[in-house]
Amino acid sequence: MAVNADYVWMDGEIVPWADAKIHVASDALLRGANVFEGERAYWSEPHQQLYMFRHAEHMHRLRQSARVMRMSIPYTDEEITEGCIELLRRNGWRDSVHFRPVVYFGEGEGHAYLPEDIRTGVFVLALHRPSKPTLFTGIRSCVSTWRRNPDVASPSRVKAAANYHNARLAQVEASMNGFGTPVMLNIAGKVSESPGSCFMMVRGGTVITPPVTADILESITRETLIQLMRDELRLTVVERDIDRSELYICDEAWFCGSGHEVQPIIEIDHYPLGDGKPGPIGKAVQSLYFEVVRGQHEQYRHWLTPVYPAAKSAAAE
């Protein structure tokens, strides 16, 4: 990860990048004991504004993850939000940004959770992260030999760092075999998600995606696309289990998530999807998504949180 930021928000204040440190004895390091959100902020040239996308929903999911992990977050949503805004302003970005609010267990008794037994901290890490060229060319995928961790063992709906050991195994295997992001199956042998994004495919004009009970993260991007596809593109979207063999006969497919955005898949296990190029429905979904996150659709402006003072964008509007 290339460092392109000057500051980090940590435990209530902006600190220089080099000074953002956690002790080696922290539970966050020793046991991966943290929960986090991966968020995007997009620059709108017409509005001269940087917009955080669906930040309130990310804060809600962060609270849900912390609840399951019995973590007591020592800051309000408003305080964390102000921290995110201040951090993005201080770094001065006028382009796409990926940022992570993280709640972590610090030093204390092993597996402790009560505030009096272990310290709980919060930091926000932000980096300039433009969209990948593969968003327009597509990627070659595969089905991983590693299964997605089940809800009864390490629930994927909790966005915890420890869950991403499972994701790392799958992604490294795929990379070593010459593929991009892999598809992961759950213990039942049904399609779950990728190591870091949700999965959608098209069959006969219908968009199909695994349900939230298929050991997936309850993705905010997934929810966003389902609403946009139904309301704006008038597409039929079905949430159901997907068999592995369906991957090989679908017309087109893509991964979606805050980090992956809308990533077309052109091949799975050496089976080309459609004509082996990003499909028309996926391209339409991707185009609409990027318009919405940059404030080009008034009806979805409530999903956007401006970073810079209103005066800077008012003149452009």
Side-chain angles (χ1 to χ4, degrees), residues 55 79 165 174 180 185 217 266:
H55 176 71
E79 289 172 324
H165 296 303
L185 308 181
L217 177 71
I266 58 174

Side-chain angles (χ1 to χ4, degrees), residues 16-85:
W17 179 278
D19 294 338
K21 299 175 182 179
I22 297 175
H23 198 276
V24 293
S26 68
D27 241 32
L29 176 64
L30 296 178
R31 299 179 178 86
N34 74 62
V35 297
F36 69 97
E37 284 298 311
E39 301 188 48
R40 281 270 192 177
Y42 289 92
W43 177 253
S44 171
E45 189 63 29
H47 301 148
Q48 289 292 291
Q49 183 60 269
L50 185 66
Y51 291 119
M52 299 192 301
F53 186 63
R54 301 200 71 175
H55 176 71
E57 289 84 350
H58 280 284
M59 286 293 95
H60 178 70
R61 192 173 64 182
L62 184 68
R63 295 274 171 188
Q64 288 185 331
S65 294
R67 175 182 174 85
V68 177
M69 296 294 290
R70 301 189 185 277
M71 304 179 86
S72 301
I73 302 178
Y75 299 95
T76 65
D77 286 359
E78 292 73 20
E79 289 172 324
I80 297 173
T81 297
E82 285 304 311
C84 292
I85 291 173

Side-chain angles (χ1 to χ4, degrees), residues 115-194:
E116 58 266 31
D117 295 328
I118 191 166
R119 189 178 74 84
T120 304
V122 180
F123 65 84
V124 182
L125 184 70
L127 294 166
H128 172 233
R129 187 176 175 184
S131 298
K132 296 180 179 180
T134 56
L135 289 187
F136 309 102
T137 60
I139 60 169
R140 297 171 57 248
S141 183
C142 63
V143 175
S144 177
T145 64
W146 295 96
R147 296 295 177 97
R148 198 69 171 122
N149 39 291
D151 189 76
V152 294
S154 183
S156 294
R157 67 167 40 87
V158 177
K159 196 169 178 63
N163 282 340
Y164 285 79
H165 296 303
N166 171 251
R168 181 179 177 82
L169 289 170
Q171 185 60 67
V172 170
E173 177 192 57
S175 298
M176 291 179 68
N177 290 330
F179 294 102
T181 303
V183 176
M184 299 185 74
L185 308 181
N186 57 26
I187 293 299
K190 304 296 184 181
V191 173
S192 180
E193 58 183 354
S194 89

Side-chain angles (χ1 to χ4, degrees), residues 36-40 52-65 157 159 193 196-198 200 212 216-228 256-259 261-262 289 292-293 303:
F36 69 97
E37 284 298 311
E39 301 188 48
R40 281 270 192 177
M52 299 192 301
F53 186 63
R54 301 200 71 175
H55 176 71
E57 289 84 350
H58 280 284
M59 286 293 95
H60 178 70
R61 192 173 64 182
L62 184 68
R63 295 274 171 188
Q64 288 185 331
S65 294
R157 67 167 40 87
K159 196 169 178 63
E193 58 183 354
S197 54
C198 285
M200 294 182 171
V212 295
I216 71 170
L217 177 71
E218 293 182 341
S219 164
I220 293 164
T221 308
R222 173 186 177 277
E223 176 190 315
T224 298
L225 295 189
I226 289 174
Q227 181 174 341
L228 293 178
C256 64
S258 296
E261 299 174 304
V262 183
Y289 177 75
V292 168
V293 299
W303 283 344

